[in-house]
Amino acid sequence: MTTVKENTFLYGWEHPDKMREYRKNNKSMAKKDKRTTLKEAVARGVKEGDYIVFGGMGSVRNPIAAVHEIIRQGIGNLTIGTKGSQHDWQLLAAAGNVTNAEVSYGFADEVRGLSLPARRAVESGRLKVLSETTNAAFQWRFTAAAKGLPFYPTRSSLGTDTLTYSGSKTIIDPFTKEPIELLPACYPDVAIIHVHRADKYGNCQIDGNIAEDIEIAHAAKFVIITAEQIVPDEVIESDPAQTKIPYFTVDAVVEVPYGSHPNQVPRLYSFDEDHWQEWLDASITEETTEEYLDKYIYSSNDFYDYLEKIGGVRVLRQLENIEKKLAPYPTVARRRG
Amino acid sequence: MSSIITLEPADYMTVAMARLIQDGERIFHGVASPMPAVAIQLAKKHHAKKAVYLSIAGTADAVPTEFSRHTTAGANLREGAVSEFLLSDIFDLSARGGLDVAFLSGAQIDEYGRLNLSAIGSFQQPKVRLPGGAGSAALLPTVKRAILWKTTHDTRSLVEKLDVITAAGNTEYVITPLAIFKRGKQGKLQLYSIFPESSFDEIVEKTGFKVEKHPQYHVFEPITEREWELLLEIDKNGSRFSEFR
């Protein structure tokens, strides 16, 4: 078969048979109590140099608590697949834990503006953008991995630099006799997904947009679930259709209430605009970014400690009320200066 | 339209977007897209009742009662929906020829309606690292017609040459605070309409590529009373202004 475009940007790819072997040797599918602490889950699952993807969509349902823990443990040289994630990986970039990224959407906070720490990291050379890809490509790369395939074919990105700077190869499709892009499967080392509720085995229920969370749970080598709530088995059994991720894909389950703060978990709590403003202001210079990380992450024992620092129950209840529309939405935080 | 009200570029742009939506079309917008989100509802309430609203929030045909100024991927965009329809479903729909309109934006747009969302300067050593193309490189070539928008109109954003070609494909219109471009001969953008406060000379001066008038060039029709009423009703929080500082 003719290969039209070769590539030098291949990351996250594995031979499907190697992954079958890996799962056989390393992935327990047993139904057992997987509850643990965030500290232990991160220490066990996240290694220096790993390729990580985060669940959620945009600024919604991001595993911020797990990100704090990675920063606190100083696990470095990470590669992040920024399939649409923002504040999660940007905190890691600000703290210097990330040295590489495959980017679909990653350097902005939607309407709040461009993310300065992640940009500074790239523009100064501390962080390398390995390749550019699309949300669709990430979706399909995880889909290929979930299906045990080496690649996923698509006709979409031909004629762009997104294709040039991606891990894709272009061949002549033997059916149409036309060029077709082959997206390499992506098997992340770790997927970290924040969900509304899970049982102790790791059966996960997500309300609202599930994004690519199902695919990354099936594609990743190690899956950490942080849940707003660990629920009794009956809650899951009474509504199995709502269970999006089954227990046998999951390696660790941690209960982390408000684990997405300062971002939103639909139906539970809203964005913390005051804290967002503090972060946006702090992230303008290297010094103030460092002060923010010191104050809220390095000097916190755990995420509960952080939640006290951002205002504790008083603030968190207010964010719940805003989400339920029992309180007005506050002024939206914006990049200043 | 009463002449007492001072209209802002966001008002013109949102109404212009709505007018380009046709009845029965399936339409998508992504994150950070407050004007398209409002425009789709405006079109649905005005002239395109059977248009189908698909958003990055993951549902089909939501009827949001409120638009927030802080996110366009939030749960409010799921209100009243009839079906789950995830971003992955939208890419598939587009790939198989079922998506009519996608609203997309970029840091730079060239005369072929191509987008740069990756970097200013070189890709490997950027002067400014941009957000990333998100879904644009997958949607732009597969959607039937893309409507691009830009909240600035200057020679830095409408350029002769893109620093990086993030996405290329079926751009039909480009809407800016000053004007609307439409793809014309040889696939190049041409001036389709000018908003009231601008002029042809201003457009030429502030556009990085050569400006020619499209055969369908016309003066932008004033916003009607009905459009204005609906705009205020749909966007009571003023989310359409949130992309402007």
Side-chain angles (χ1 to χ4, degrees):
Chain A
M1 212 166 289
T2 323
T3 303
V4 180
K5 183 224 160 206
E6 282 290 350
N7 72 77
T8 48
F9 302 92
L10 188 58
Y11 305 96
W13 189 84
E14 302 279 5
H15 193 294
D17 286 339
K18 193 182 151 202
M19 281 309 299
R20 287 172 66 103
E21 196 62 21
Y22 177 89
R23 285 177 201 286
K24 194 172 115 192
N25 298 331
N26 300 282
K27 190 102 182 168
S28 165
M29 294 212 171
K31 189 172 182 184
K32 61 184 179 192
D33 189 346
K34 294 172 195 159
R35 283 174 296 179
T36 182
T37 61
L38 198 47
K39 201 170 181 175
E40 192 278 331
V42 166
R44 178 155 51 100
V46 184
K47 306 283 182 234
E48 193 89 4
D50 272 356
Y51 188 123
I52 306 182
V53 294
F54 298 113
M57 166 67 77
S59 309
V60 173
R61 207 168 41 74
N62 317 108
I64 302 297
V67 163
H68 282 205
E69 189 55 37
I70 295 170
I71 294 172
R72 256 193 305 276
Q73 294 192 17
I75 307 167
N77 195 22
L78 300 173
T79 297
I80 308 292
T82 74
K83 63 186 183 57
S85 62
Q86 300 157 23
H87 192 53
D88 39 26
W89 93 278
Q90 288 161 8
L91 279 175
L92 284 168
N97 299 63
V98 183
T99 45
N100 295 299
E102 285 200 275
V103 175
S104 118
Y105 181 83
F107 290 89
D109 293 306
E110 299 181 37
V111 289
R112 300 179 207 279
L114 287 171
S115 162
L116 295 183
R119 274 184 53 194
R120 271 198 301 268
V122 169
E123 291 155 21
S124 69
R126 294 197 305 274
L127 167 62
K128 193 171 170 229
V129 175
L130 298 174
S131 76
E132 185 99 5
T133 187
T134 68
N135 290 117
F138 262 128
Q139 172 80 37
W140 293 328
R141 293 178 64 194
F142 300 137
T143 299
K147 290 180 188 296
L149 293 170
F151 63 82
Y152 192 103
T154 166
R155 307 203 296 166
S156 72
S157 294
L158 301 171
T160 65
D161 290 335
T162 300
L163 177 68
T164 312
Y165 296 117
S166 78
S168 295
K169 295 185 183 213
T170 306
I171 62 160
I172 301 300
D173 159 25
F175 291 94
T176 63
K177 318 285 189 215
E178 289 165 7
I180 191 153
E181 178 185 357
L182 306 184
L183 297 154
C186 181
Y187 295 89
D189 294 305
V190 190
I192 307 180
I193 306 168
H194 189 63
V195 304
H196 288 74
R197 69 197 78 83
D199 63 16
K200 62 187 179 223
Y201 314 109
N203 289 304
C204 302
Q205 297 193 338
I206 295 167
D207 299 336
N209 197 345
I210 56 171
E212 302 98 353
D213 291 3
I214 295 173
E215 287 83 354
I216 64 174
H218 292 296
K221 295 173 198 163
F222 195 93
V223 177
I224 298 174
I225 298 296
T226 61
E228 285 291 325
Q229 211 187 351
I230 303 284
V231 296
D233 300 5
E234 304 85 75
V235 173
I236 301 292
E237 287 159 8
S238 68
D239 191 9
Q242 194 60 28
T243 304
K244 310 295 183 187
I245 299 169
Y247 72 90
F248 47 80
T249 64
V250 173
D251 297 284
V253 183
V254 187
E255 186 173 56
V256 190
Y258 309 103
S260 196
H261 181 278
N263 282 343
Q264 183 202 31
V265 172
R267 297 185 202 168
L268 295 181
Y269 51 90
S270 186
F271 296 91
D272 186 340
E273 295 293 346
D274 290 343
H275 193 78
W276 256 104
Q277 193 62 59
E278 196 176 335
W279 162 251
L280 290 174
D281 291 347
S283 67
I284 290 171
T285 71
E286 303 257 4
E287 290 79 8
T288 47
T289 301
E290 203 52 44
E291 281 168 25
Y292 174 94
L293 296 172
D294 272 336
K295 179 179 174 188
Y296 288 110
I297 303 179
Y298 293 120
S299 73
S300 297
N301 293 321
D302 55 22
F303 204 67
Y304 289 99
D305 209 5
Y306 160 83
L307 292 175
E308 290 303 321
K309 289 179 185 174
I310 59 96
V313 175
R314 186 193 301 269
V315 164
L316 296 169
R317 177 53 52 89
Q318 178 68 5
L319 299 179
E320 290 170 342
N321 287 337
I322 294 167
E323 183 65 10
K324 291 176 197 153
K325 298 190 178 171
L326 294 169
Y329 202 88
T331 308
V332 175
R334 289 302 196 101
R335 170 87 50 219
R336 299 191 280 218
Chain B
M1 255 321 297
S2 161
S3 57
I4 305 160
I5 302 157
T6 311
L7 293 172
E8 309 254 351
D11 299 321
Y12 288 116
M13 291 177 73
T14 307
V15 170
M17 287 175 185
R19 287 177 181 175
L20 295 176
I21 294 168
Q22 294 161 18
D23 204 8
E25 287 188 314
R26 285 165 293 274
I27 305 142
F28 167 77
H29 75 72
V31 295
S33 309
M35 286 188 284
V38 171
I40 293 167
Q41 293 307 313
L42 176 56
K44 282 185 67 111
K45 292 201 160 101
H46 187 265
H47 60 272
K49 292 189 171 51
K50 286 182 250 166
V52 181
Y53 174 41
L54 306 169
S55 86
I56 199 156
T59 60
D61 252 350
V63 189
T65 54
E66 202 171 18
F67 290 92
S68 82
R69 295 184 61 127
H70 53 283
T71 177
T72 39
N76 58 308
L77 295 190
R78 299 170 59 86
E79 289 174 356
V82 295
S83 169
E84 287 290 308
F85 205 79
L86 298 175
L87 187 59
S88 55
D89 298 317
I90 286 155
F91 291 128
D92 291 346
L93 179 73
S94 191
R96 65 179 183 260
L99 186 65
D100 295 296
V101 179
F103 283 98
L104 299 167
S105 187
Q108 294 177 326
I109 298 173
D110 73 2
E111 65 180 331
Y112 296 100
R114 298 184 296 188
L115 286 173
N116 175 11
L117 277 152
S118 302
I120 302 295
S122 80
F123 180 85
Q124 312 286 9
Q125 283 167 323
K127 229 181 311 169
V128 179
R129 175 60 224 194
L130 298 170
S136 60
L139 286 177
L140 199 51
T142 55
V143 70
K144 287 183 195 158
R145 50 197 204 96
I147 301 173
L148 311 188
W149 84 100
K150 225 13 246 177
T151 54
T152 51
H153 188 139
D154 52 42
T155 52
R156 287 167 57 207
S157 43
L158 300 173
V159 298
E160 194 174 2
K161 190 174 181 304
L162 300 176
D163 291 6
V164 178
I165 303 167
T166 308
N170 303 325
T171 298
E172 188 178 24
Y173 292 100
V174 175
I175 302 174
T176 78
L178 305 179
I180 307 171
F181 293 89
K182 185 177 184 183
R183 181 172 271 185
K185 59 178 183 191
Q186 290 155 358
K188 290 185 183 179
L189 293 172
Q190 296 175 321
L191 191 61
Y192 177 69
S193 198
I194 296 183
F195 293 136
E197 269 99 74
S198 187
S199 66
F200 184 76
D201 289 347
E202 187 188 14
I203 304 293
V204 170
E205 186 196 327
K206 292 184 172 173
T207 305
F209 51 81
K210 193 163 174 275
V211 178
E212 276 179 36
K213 284 185 182 171
H214 192 276
Q216 296 163 349
Y217 175 81
H218 63 282
V219 176
F220 187 75
E221 295 284 333
I223 296 174
T224 66
E225 292 278 1
R226 181 72 187 131
E227 285 171 329
W228 183 246
E229 276 169 28
L230 286 169
L231 186 61
L232 295 185
E233 178 192 314
I234 294 162
D235 190 25
K236 50 186 178 288
N237 298 338
S239 77
R240 64 190 180 281
F241 302 115
S242 59
E243 278 189 273
F244 297 87
R245 297 301 157 98

mmCIF file of all heavy atoms in Angstrom, chain A residues 34-70:
data_model
loop_
_atom_site.group_PDB
_atom_site.id
_atom_site.type_symbol
_atom_site.label_atom_id
_atom_site.label_comp_id
_atom_site.label_asym_id
_atom_site.label_seq_id
_atom_site.Cartn_x
_atom_site.Cartn_y
_atom_site.Cartn_z
ATOM 1 N N LYS A 34 -12.233 -0.910 45.522
ATOM 2 C CA LYS A 34 -11.060 -0.189 45.007
ATOM 3 C C LYS A 34 -10.899 1.184 45.638
ATOM 4 O O LYS A 34 -10.161 2.024 45.127
ATOM 5 C CB LYS A 34 -11.173 -0.044 43.484
ATOM 6 C CG LYS A 34 -11.090 -1.377 42.746
ATOM 7 C CD LYS A 34 -11.401 -1.213 41.275
ATOM 8 C CE LYS A 34 -11.666 -2.581 40.659
ATOM 9 N NZ LYS A 34 -12.429 -2.463 39.403
ATOM 10 N N ARG A 35 -11.629 1.421 46.724
ATOM 11 C CA ARG A 35 -11.544 2.742 47.355
ATOM 12 C C ARG A 35 -10.151 2.954 47.943
ATOM 13 O O ARG A 35 -9.565 2.037 48.534
ATOM 14 C CB ARG A 35 -12.580 2.863 48.482
ATOM 15 C CG ARG A 35 -13.982 3.088 47.972
ATOM 16 C CD ARG A 35 -14.965 3.049 49.104
ATOM 17 N NE ARG A 35 -14.997 1.731 49.740
ATOM 18 C CZ ARG A 35 -15.761 1.435 50.780
ATOM 19 N NH1 ARG A 35 -16.526 2.355 51.336
ATOM 20 N NH2 ARG A 35 -15.749 0.222 51.304
ATOM 21 N N THR A 36 -9.669 4.143 47.785
ATOM 22 C CA THR A 36 -8.362 4.471 48.355
ATOM 23 C C THR A 36 -8.286 5.983 48.544
ATOM 24 O O THR A 36 -9.260 6.700 48.305
ATOM 25 C CB THR A 36 -7.228 3.951 47.442
ATOM 26 O OG1 THR A 36 -5.974 4.255 48.047
ATOM 27 C CG2 THR A 36 -7.284 4.579 46.054
ATOM 28 N N THR A 37 -7.114 6.443 48.985
ATOM 29 C CA THR A 37 -6.931 7.893 49.105
ATOM 30 C C THR A 37 -6.400 8.428 47.775
ATOM 31 O O THR A 37 -5.819 7.681 46.985
ATOM 32 C CB THR A 37 -5.894 8.234 50.194
ATOM 33 O OG1 THR A 37 -4.635 7.637 49.811
ATOM 34 C CG2 THR A 37 -6.323 7.700 51.554
ATOM 35 N N LEU A 38 -6.581 9.706 47.579
ATOM 36 C CA LEU A 38 -6.084 10.323 46.357
ATOM 37 C C LEU A 38 -4.549 10.213 46.309
ATOM 38 O O LEU A 38 -3.964 9.975 45.250
ATOM 39 C CB LEU A 38 -6.532 11.796 46.319
ATOM 40 C CG LEU A 38 -6.487 12.508 44.985
ATOM 41 C CD1 LEU A 38 -7.102 11.683 43.874
ATOM 42 C CD2 LEU A 38 -7.199 13.845 45.104
ATOM 43 N N LYS A 39 -3.954 10.376 47.471
ATOM 44 C CA LYS A 39 -2.495 10.299 47.573
ATOM 45 C C LYS A 39 -1.999 8.943 47.076
ATOM 46 O O LYS A 39 -1.071 8.851 46.274
ATOM 47 C CB LYS A 39 -2.109 10.480 49.053
ATOM 48 C CG LYS A 39 -0.698 10.915 49.281
ATOM 49 C CD LYS A 39 -0.527 11.282 50.751
ATOM 50 C CE LYS A 39 0.896 11.742 51.005
ATOM 51 N NZ LYS A 39 1.057 12.213 52.384
ATOM 52 N N GLU A 40 -2.675 7.889 47.542
ATOM 53 C CA GLU A 40 -2.244 6.535 47.168
ATOM 54 C C GLU A 40 -2.554 6.253 45.699
ATOM 55 O O GLU A 40 -1.734 5.676 44.977
ATOM 56 C CB GLU A 40 -2.944 5.515 48.091
ATOM 57 C CG GLU A 40 -2.377 4.114 48.011
ATOM 58 C CD GLU A 40 -2.908 3.283 46.844
ATOM 59 O OE1 GLU A 40 -4.073 3.516 46.414
ATOM 60 O OE2 GLU A 40 -2.169 2.429 46.323
ATOM 61 N N ALA A 41 -3.735 6.668 45.256
ATOM 62 C CA ALA A 41 -4.134 6.407 43.866
ATOM 63 C C ALA A 41 -3.169 7.068 42.888
ATOM 64 O O ALA A 41 -2.736 6.456 41.901
ATOM 65 C CB ALA A 41 -5.552 6.909 43.619
ATOM 66 N N VAL A 42 -2.807 8.316 43.173
ATOM 67 C CA VAL A 42 -1.888 9.041 42.294
ATOM 68 C C VAL A 42 -0.486 8.434 42.366
ATOM 69 O O VAL A 42 0.172 8.228 41.341
ATOM 70 C CB VAL A 42 -1.881 10.557 42.642
ATOM 71 C CG1 VAL A 42 -0.701 11.273 41.979
ATOM 72 C CG2 VAL A 42 -3.205 11.194 42.217
ATOM 73 N N ALA A 43 -0.049 8.108 43.578
ATOM 74 C CA ALA A 43 1.288 7.524 43.735
ATOM 75 C C ALA A 43 1.393 6.192 42.987
ATOM 76 O O ALA A 43 2.407 5.879 42.369
ATOM 77 C CB ALA A 43 1.604 7.327 45.213
ATOM 78 N N ARG A 44 0.303 5.409 43.010
ATOM 79 C CA ARG A 44 0.304 4.098 42.356
ATOM 80 C C ARG A 44 0.136 4.226 40.840
ATOM 81 O O ARG A 44 0.755 3.502 40.069
ATOM 82 C CB ARG A 44 -0.834 3.246 42.943
ATOM 83 C CG ARG A 44 -0.992 1.865 42.314
ATOM 84 C CD ARG A 44 -1.655 0.884 43.282
ATOM 85 N NE ARG A 44 -2.878 1.415 43.861
ATOM 86 C CZ ARG A 44 -4.115 1.092 43.431
ATOM 87 N NH1 ARG A 44 -4.282 0.240 42.467
ATOM 88 N NH2 ARG A 44 -5.180 1.620 44.006
ATOM 89 N N GLY A 45 -0.722 5.168 40.413
ATOM 90 C CA GLY A 45 -1.097 5.198 38.998
ATOM 91 C C GLY A 45 -0.272 6.116 38.119
ATOM 92 O O GLY A 45 -0.087 5.843 36.932
ATOM 93 N N VAL A 46 0.236 7.204 38.672
ATOM 94 C CA VAL A 46 0.889 8.217 37.836
ATOM 95 C C VAL A 46 2.400 8.161 38.031
ATOM 96 O O VAL A 46 2.900 8.333 39.141
ATOM 97 C CB VAL A 46 0.371 9.640 38.178
ATOM 98 C CG1 VAL A 46 0.991 10.669 37.232
ATOM 99 C CG2 VAL A 46 -1.155 9.689 38.113
ATOM 100 N N LYS A 47 3.100 7.904 36.927
ATOM 101 C CA LYS A 47 4.555 7.792 36.997
ATOM 102 C C LYS A 47 5.210 8.905 36.181
ATOM 103 O O LYS A 47 4.626 9.408 35.218
ATOM 104 C CB LYS A 47 5.014 6.437 36.419
ATOM 105 C CG LYS A 47 4.335 5.225 37.047
ATOM 106 C CD LYS A 47 4.919 4.895 38.416
ATOM 107 C CE LYS A 47 4.261 3.666 39.016
ATOM 108 N NZ LYS A 47 3.708 3.901 40.362
ATOM 109 N N GLU A 48 6.428 9.219 36.586
ATOM 110 C CA GLU A 48 7.261 10.157 35.835
ATOM 111 C C GLU A 48 7.207 9.811 34.331
ATOM 112 O O GLU A 48 7.365 8.652 33.956
ATOM 113 C CB GLU A 48 8.698 10.013 36.357
ATOM 114 C CG GLU A 48 9.663 11.085 35.935
ATOM 115 C CD GLU A 48 9.683 12.275 36.913
ATOM 116 O OE1 GLU A 48 8.997 12.233 37.948
ATOM 117 O OE2 GLU A 48 10.395 13.247 36.597
ATOM 118 N N GLY A 49 6.933 10.809 33.501
ATOM 119 C CA GLY A 49 6.974 10.583 32.052
ATOM 120 C C GLY A 49 5.710 10.005 31.444
ATOM 121 O O GLY A 49 5.663 9.740 30.249
ATOM 122 N N ASP A 50 4.662 9.820 32.250
ATOM 123 C CA ASP A 50 3.426 9.214 31.735
ATOM 124 C C ASP A 50 2.683 10.123 30.750
ATOM 125 O O ASP A 50 2.813 11.353 30.788
ATOM 126 C CB ASP A 50 2.472 8.883 32.898
ATOM 127 C CG ASP A 50 2.737 7.497 33.480
ATOM 128 O OD1 ASP A 50 3.592 6.783 32.933
ATOM 129 O OD2 ASP A 50 2.083 7.148 34.477
ATOM 130 N N TYR A 51 1.860 9.474 29.918
ATOM 131 C CA TYR A 51 0.931 10.166 29.014
ATOM 132 C C TYR A 51 -0.435 10.130 29.708
ATOM 133 O O TYR A 51 -0.981 9.060 29.954
ATOM 134 C CB TYR A 51 0.876 9.421 27.675
ATOM 135 C CG TYR A 51 0.107 10.137 26.575
ATOM 136 C CD1 TYR A 51 0.718 10.436 25.360
ATOM 137 C CD2 TYR A 51 -1.233 10.493 26.734
ATOM 138 C CE1 TYR A 51 0.031 11.093 24.348
ATOM 139 C CE2 TYR A 51 -1.921 11.151 25.735
ATOM 140 C CZ TYR A 51 -1.302 11.452 24.541
ATOM 141 O OH TYR A 51 -1.987 12.096 23.552
ATOM 142 N N ILE A 52 -0.953 11.330 30.028
ATOM 143 C CA ILE A 52 -2.196 11.405 30.810
ATOM 144 C C ILE A 52 -3.296 12.113 30.028
ATOM 145 O O ILE A 52 -3.029 13.082 29.307
ATOM 146 C CB ILE A 52 -1.974 12.187 32.130
ATOM 147 C CG1 ILE A 52 -0.814 11.572 32.909
ATOM 148 C CG2 ILE A 52 -3.229 12.187 33.000
ATOM 149 C CD1 ILE A 52 -0.565 12.243 34.242
ATOM 150 N N VAL A 53 -4.522 11.633 30.171
ATOM 151 C CA VAL A 53 -5.685 12.386 29.692
ATOM 152 C C VAL A 53 -6.676 12.535 30.836
ATOM 153 O O VAL A 53 -6.747 11.695 31.729
ATOM 154 C CB VAL A 53 -6.387 11.716 28.479
ATOM 155 C CG1 VAL A 53 -5.486 11.731 27.271
ATOM 156 C CG2 VAL A 53 -6.843 10.303 28.802
ATOM 157 N N PHE A 54 -7.415 13.641 30.771
ATOM 158 C CA PHE A 54 -8.402 13.940 31.809
ATOM 159 C C PHE A 54 -9.806 13.856 31.242
ATOM 160 O O PHE A 54 -10.044 14.221 30.090
ATOM 161 C CB PHE A 54 -8.168 15.348 32.366
ATOM 162 C CG PHE A 54 -6.828 15.513 33.020
ATOM 163 C CD1 PHE A 54 -5.863 16.344 32.462
ATOM 164 C CD2 PHE A 54 -6.531 14.839 34.201
ATOM 165 C CE1 PHE A 54 -4.624 16.498 33.061
ATOM 166 C CE2 PHE A 54 -5.289 14.989 34.802
ATOM 167 C CZ PHE A 54 -4.336 15.820 34.233
ATOM 168 N N GLY A 55 -10.725 13.422 32.087
ATOM 169 C CA GLY A 55 -12.126 13.375 31.679
ATOM 170 C C GLY A 55 -12.772 14.745 31.750
ATOM 171 O O GLY A 55 -12.146 15.742 32.098
ATOM 172 N N GLY A 56 -14.046 14.780 31.403
ATOM 173 C CA GLY A 56 -14.779 16.047 31.417
ATOM 174 C C GLY A 56 -14.710 16.741 30.076
ATOM 175 O O GLY A 56 -14.109 16.231 29.117
ATOM 176 N N MET A 57 -15.329 17.881 30.013
ATOM 177 C CA MET A 57 -15.398 18.625 28.753
ATOM 178 C C MET A 57 -15.143 20.094 29.038
ATOM 179 O O MET A 57 -15.865 20.696 29.826
ATOM 180 C CB MET A 57 -16.793 18.434 28.133
ATOM 181 C CG MET A 57 -17.148 19.398 27.018
ATOM 182 S SD MET A 57 -16.179 19.182 25.530
ATOM 183 C CE MET A 57 -16.967 17.729 24.855
ATOM 184 N N GLY A 58 -14.135 20.656 28.396
ATOM 185 C CA GLY A 58 -13.853 22.085 28.595
ATOM 186 C C GLY A 58 -13.580 22.377 30.059
ATOM 187 O O GLY A 58 -12.676 21.799 30.655
ATOM 188 N N SER A 59 -14.364 23.257 30.643
ATOM 189 C CA SER A 59 -14.193 23.627 32.051
ATOM 190 C C SER A 59 -15.185 22.906 32.945
ATOM 191 O O SER A 59 -15.458 23.340 34.051
ATOM 192 C CB SER A 59 -14.389 25.132 32.221
ATOM 193 O OG SER A 59 -13.606 25.828 31.301
ATOM 194 N N VAL A 60 -15.738 21.827 32.446
ATOM 195 C CA VAL A 60 -16.794 21.131 33.174
ATOM 196 C C VAL A 60 -16.303 19.755 33.642
ATOM 197 O O VAL A 60 -15.740 18.990 32.864
ATOM 198 C CB VAL A 60 -18.045 20.978 32.277
ATOM 199 C CG1 VAL A 60 -19.102 20.118 32.940
ATOM 200 C CG2 VAL A 60 -18.615 22.348 31.940
ATOM 201 N N ARG A 61 -16.507 19.467 34.915
ATOM 202 C CA ARG A 61 -16.236 18.149 35.506
ATOM 203 C C ARG A 61 -14.776 17.716 35.306
ATOM 204 O O ARG A 61 -14.494 16.602 34.926
ATOM 205 C CB ARG A 61 -17.233 17.122 34.916
ATOM 206 C CG ARG A 61 -17.544 15.947 35.812
ATOM 207 C CD ARG A 61 -18.736 15.136 35.328
ATOM 208 N NE ARG A 61 -18.792 14.927 33.897
ATOM 209 C CZ ARG A 61 -18.014 14.101 33.206
ATOM 210 N NH1 ARG A 61 -17.106 13.397 33.835
ATOM 211 N NH2 ARG A 61 -18.142 14.012 31.901
ATOM 212 N N ASN A 62 -13.863 18.628 35.591
ATOM 213 C CA ASN A 62 -12.433 18.309 35.471
ATOM 214 C C ASN A 62 -11.904 17.770 36.806
ATOM 215 O O ASN A 62 -12.319 18.228 37.858
ATOM 216 C CB ASN A 62 -11.621 19.558 35.100
ATOM 217 C CG ASN A 62 -12.292 20.377 34.029
ATOM 218 O OD1 ASN A 62 -12.815 21.452 34.308
ATOM 219 N ND2 ASN A 62 -12.307 19.875 32.822
ATOM 220 N N PRO A 63 -10.971 16.831 36.765
ATOM 221 C CA PRO A 63 -10.450 16.250 38.019
ATOM 222 C C PRO A 63 -9.368 17.122 38.647
ATOM 223 O O PRO A 63 -8.194 16.761 38.701
ATOM 224 C CB PRO A 63 -9.890 14.906 37.554
ATOM 225 C CG PRO A 63 -9.480 15.143 36.137
ATOM 226 C CD PRO A 63 -10.423 16.170 35.573
ATOM 227 N N ILE A 64 -9.764 18.283 39.150
ATOM 228 C CA ILE A 64 -8.798 19.258 39.678
ATOM 229 C C ILE A 64 -8.102 18.729 40.940
ATOM 230 O O ILE A 64 -6.904 18.929 41.130
ATOM 231 C CB ILE A 64 -9.488 20.614 39.978
ATOM 232 C CG1 ILE A 64 -10.148 21.177 38.700
ATOM 233 C CG2 ILE A 64 -8.494 21.617 40.569
ATOM 234 C CD1 ILE A 64 -9.217 21.508 37.566
ATOM 235 N N ALA A 65 -8.841 18.028 41.795
ATOM 236 C CA ALA A 65 -8.232 17.508 43.035
ATOM 237 C C ALA A 65 -7.064 16.576 42.708
ATOM 238 O O ALA A 65 -6.002 16.631 43.336
ATOM 239 C CB ALA A 65 -9.283 16.769 43.864
ATOM 240 N N ALA A 66 -7.252 15.724 41.697
ATOM 241 C CA ALA A 66 -6.184 14.798 41.308
ATOM 242 C C ALA A 66 -4.982 15.561 40.749
ATOM 243 O O ALA A 66 -3.826 15.196 40.996
ATOM 244 C CB ALA A 66 -6.706 13.803 40.275
ATOM 245 N N VAL A 67 -5.274 16.639 40.020
ATOM 246 C CA VAL A 67 -4.198 17.482 39.484
ATOM 247 C C VAL A 67 -3.371 18.067 40.622
ATOM 248 O O VAL A 67 -2.136 18.047 40.591
ATOM 249 C CB VAL A 67 -4.804 18.597 38.592
ATOM 250 C CG1 VAL A 67 -3.803 19.711 38.356
ATOM 251 C CG2 VAL A 67 -5.287 18.008 37.264
ATOM 252 N N HIS A 68 -4.056 18.577 41.655
ATOM 253 C CA HIS A 68 -3.342 19.107 42.830
ATOM 254 C C HIS A 68 -2.409 18.043 43.420
ATOM 255 O O HIS A 68 -1.278 18.333 43.789
ATOM 256 C CB HIS A 68 -4.344 19.543 43.909
ATOM 257 C CG HIS A 68 -4.985 20.870 43.630
ATOM 258 N ND1 HIS A 68 -5.490 21.672 44.610
ATOM 259 C CD2 HIS A 68 -5.199 21.529 42.473
ATOM 260 C CE1 HIS A 68 -6.003 22.777 44.079
ATOM 261 N NE2 HIS A 68 -5.843 22.708 42.776
ATOM 262 N N GLU A 69 -2.924 16.827 43.499
ATOM 263 C CA GLU A 69 -2.139 15.759 44.118
ATOM 264 C C GLU A 69 -0.898 15.422 43.282
ATOM 265 O O GLU A 69 0.190 15.195 43.825
ATOM 266 C CB GLU A 69 -3.019 14.522 44.332
ATOM 267 C CG GLU A 69 -2.373 13.423 45.158
ATOM 268 C CD GLU A 69 -1.874 13.889 46.533
ATOM 269 O OE1 GLU A 69 -2.529 14.733 47.167
ATOM 270 O OE2 GLU A 69 -0.792 13.397 46.956
ATOM 271 N N ILE A 70 -1.056 15.432 41.951
ATOM 272 C CA ILE A 70 0.103 15.180 41.068
ATOM 273 C C ILE A 70 1.153 16.275 41.283
ATOM 274 O O ILE A 70 2.349 16.005 41.378
ATOM 275 C CB ILE A 70 -0.326 15.135 39.583
ATOM 276 C CG1 ILE A 70 -1.249 13.933 39.329
ATOM 277 C CG2 ILE A 70 0.897 15.078 38.662
ATOM 278 C CD1 ILE A 70 -1.917 13.941 37.949
#
